[in-house]
Amino acid sequence: MLRFLNQCSRGRGAWLLLALTAFALEMVALWFQHVMLLKPCVLCIYERSALFGVMGAGIVGAIAPQSPLRYAGILIWIYSAWRGVQLAWEHTMIQLHPSPFQTCDFAARFPSWLPLDKWLPQVFVASGDCAERQWSFLTLEMPQWLVGIFVVFLVIGLLVLIAQPFKPKKRDLFGR
């Protein structure tokens, strides 16, 4: 399996699939916001940013999958997935155990060099409350689903990183 993951990480297809998966999840988030009129909270916006990180990792890896740039894509992927797990877990705990002492901010705080909320307010401006439960599917709230999604991204990213030293087997004429 590790040799297979190494081989996949050296081709554009797997990286583009990673980016496309994250993009599809972003489109679902925007559909929830603009069509179903759910209000994203600050943690939702940060989780959305982590998904953009995973999508960016897919794009970085797809640029030159045979080069060492692939390692940058893997590191961005793992970092973004890890931050996504942390944020979704925090969000889940706020929803499952609401407290007036544990709340989220009113507005997302992005660095001054990357004011995403100013550049794309339709995507990065928060308007909801983190403790409010707005949507569930199969008894799980949205942050609980995101914990699972980010864990899957993280596990696969770690497996791809572990697989990097395992070179694909070279086959001879007789398939050995």
Side-chain angles (χ1 to χ4, degrees):
M1 178 180 84
L2 292 176
R3 291 183 195 281
F4 174 74
L5 288 174
N6 182 301
Q7 183 180 358
C8 288
S9 74
R10 294 172 184 273
R12 281 194 174 84
W15 289 103
L16 292 174
L17 179 62
L18 176 67
L20 182 65
T21 303
F23 179 75
L25 289 168
E26 291 291 350
M27 293 298 102
V28 169
L30 291 173
W31 184 77
F32 279 130
Q33 179 180 351
H34 296 290
V35 176
M36 291 183 62
L37 302 178
L38 301 181
K39 296 178 180 177
C41 67
V42 170
L43 287 173
C44 295
I45 298 301
Y46 291 153
E47 291 157 1
R48 192 176 285 183
S49 300
L51 265 177
F52 272 108
V54 172
M55 184 171 43
I59 293 167
V60 167
I63 290 172
Q66 298 284 336
S67 76
L69 187 61
R70 173 178 79 251
Y71 289 102
I74 293 170
L75 293 178
I76 295 167
W77 177 2
I78 291 171
Y79 175 76
S80 297
W82 174 248
R83 288 296 293 145
V85 169
Q86 289 177 319
L87 292 162
W89 182 259
E90 178 184 350
H91 195 176
T92 298
M93 290 299 106
I94 288 174
Q95 283 193 348
L96 293 179
H97 310 290
S99 166
F101 304 109
Q102 186 181 14
T103 61
C104 58
D105 295 333
F106 293 112
R109 287 185 272 161
F110 291 106
S112 60
W113 55 270
L114 189 68
L116 295 175
D117 53 340
K118 305 285 186 283
W119 293 344
L120 283 171
Q122 303 87 347
V123 178
F124 293 107
V125 169
S127 59
D129 178 16
C130 293
E132 184 181 350
R133 297 177 180 195
Q134 300 182 60
W135 178 87
S136 70
F137 179 67
L138 299 175
T139 72
L140 296 176
E141 305 292 327
M142 195 172 306
Q144 293 169 316
W145 281 104
L146 284 172
V147 168
I149 289 166
F150 280 119
V151 164
V152 168
F153 277 137
L154 180 61
V155 167
I156 295 171
L158 288 171
L159 287 173
V160 168
L161 178 65
I162 292 167
Q164 291 311 296
F166 292 85
K167 303 290 184 217
K169 287 184 180 178
K170 294 190 179 196
R171 296 192 171 243
D172 62 7
L173 182 63
F174 301 104
R176 292 183 180 179

